Amino acid sequence: MKITLKIWRQAGAGDKGQFATYQVDGITEDMSFLEMLDVLNEELTEAGEQPVAFESDCREGICGACGFMVNGIAHGPERTTLCQLHMRSFKDGETLTLEPFRADAFPVVQDLVVDRSAYDRIIGSGGYISVNTGAAVDANTHPVRKEDADRAFDAATCIGCGACAAACPNAAGMLFLGAKVTHLGLLPQGQPERDSRVVNMVNQHDEEGFGGCTNIGECAAVCPKGIPLDVISQLNKDLRKAL
């Protein structure tokens, strides 16, 4: 396969960026998207040029660190993380535009890398349980309905990749926030701090510069873990009760 790449290049956070065009040949359908970028970077390095900066860690679809936009879609055309997106999803001769996640709360670090520490600060404001849950025997003295346990587990699969905020026209982080509030709020251990948690996390979300949710649904459409849109409804319900 031969692919044309239009990639956002930006040397640093305070620098002006622009798109650069590259041709990559010899790509196979079985290559992952990041492996394709590795091929490009090897060619750039051999030519004495600066390789394209992109972030990755596990390359197993677990951490979501690899996220950026492909043709305007967070993580690309398949509902998965970029490291699990394969080149068979594209056609020979296709042109792909790669750019970093666009949100004021995710400032560009370099090229396709953004700073997503805003999510960490939201978690630090209340996305945790501080009550002593005791040993397993003690925990089992508090029965949890299977429906609640399943929903809490599903919400907890959020990996905080930032695709939801990048896809949202308002750059809102409400799907991420809703997932964290929902999975903690459904468990007995999460009840003592339930009200303060949602208030503090929403306030931190707004302070970080994320926009407001208008229920467009782009966030859930690109979420690689399939977090449902209705966790935002749970977030709003908890917030109304807490205020």
Side-chain angles (χ1 to χ4, degrees):
M1 294 175 65
K2 185 175 183 179
I3 300 293
T4 299
L5 298 172
K6 293 178 62 179
I7 304 179
W8 182 261
R9 303 304 308 266
Q10 184 172 336
D15 297 306
K16 184 177 180 180
Q18 61 182 1
F19 283 101
T21 301
Y22 305 97
Q23 300 284 341
V24 188
D25 206 348
I27 302 302
T28 67
E29 293 183 346
D30 294 328
M31 282 184 177
S32 73
F33 202 89
L34 298 190
E35 288 173 332
M36 180 272 295
L37 287 180
D38 289 338
V39 171
L40 170 63
N41 279 344
E42 288 177 2
E43 295 177 355
L44 291 176
T45 300
E46 290 176 359
E49 299 181 37
Q50 184 72 19
V52 175
F54 64 91
E55 194 173 5
S56 67
D57 188 4
C58 69
R59 296 205 178 198
E60 295 179 349
I62 298 171
C63 69
C66 53
F68 52 81
M69 309 295 284
V70 179
N71 287 349
I73 304 173
H75 290 303
E78 307 292 339
R79 195 174 181 181
T80 184
T81 54
L82 262 174
C83 62
Q84 295 298 298
L85 178 67
H86 289 80
M87 296 310 296
R88 55 180 168 266
S89 297
F90 305 97
K91 298 178 181 178
D92 185 23
E94 193 167 352
T95 298
L96 307 178
T97 300
L98 315 185
E99 56 186 320
F101 283 168
R102 301 294 190 184
D104 287 344
F106 294 155
V108 175
V109 176
Q110 183 181 355
D111 296 340
L112 303 176
V113 180
V114 297
D115 180 359
R116 290 173 297 174
S117 59
Y119 273 3
D120 296 330
R121 290 187 290 274
I122 291 174
I123 292 296
S125 70
Y128 52 82
I129 290 174
S130 60
V131 63
N132 184 358
T133 60
V137 175
D138 298 321
N140 288 337
T141 62
H142 299 281
V144 180
R145 293 192 317 145
K146 186 178 187 306
E147 294 83 356
D148 291 341
D150 289 345
R151 182 163 166 76
F153 182 84
D154 290 342
T157 60
C158 170
I159 55 178
C161 66
C164 52
C168 176
N170 306 323
M174 288 296 184
L175 192 73
F176 162 80
L177 184 53
K180 300 305 178 182
V181 166
T182 297
H183 99 256
L184 294 175
L186 286 171
L187 301 176
Q189 298 89 340
Q191 300 312 306
E193 298 162 310
R194 186 169 183 173
D195 290 350
S196 61
R197 174 186 303 116
V198 66
V199 171
N200 291 339
M201 293 182 74
V202 168
N203 287 341
Q204 187 66 40
H205 169 278
D206 296 346
E207 185 177 325
E208 295 292 342
F210 290 103
C213 174
T214 51
N215 291 316
I216 294 174
E218 289 293 329
C219 53
V222 300
C223 176
K225 295 303 179 181
I227 303 297
L229 191 62
D230 63 1
V231 298
I232 301 177
S233 299
Q234 185 64 53
L235 166 67
N236 291 333
K237 180 180 179 180
D238 279 18
L239 184 60
R240 286 195 302 270
K241 182 180 178 182
L243 294 176

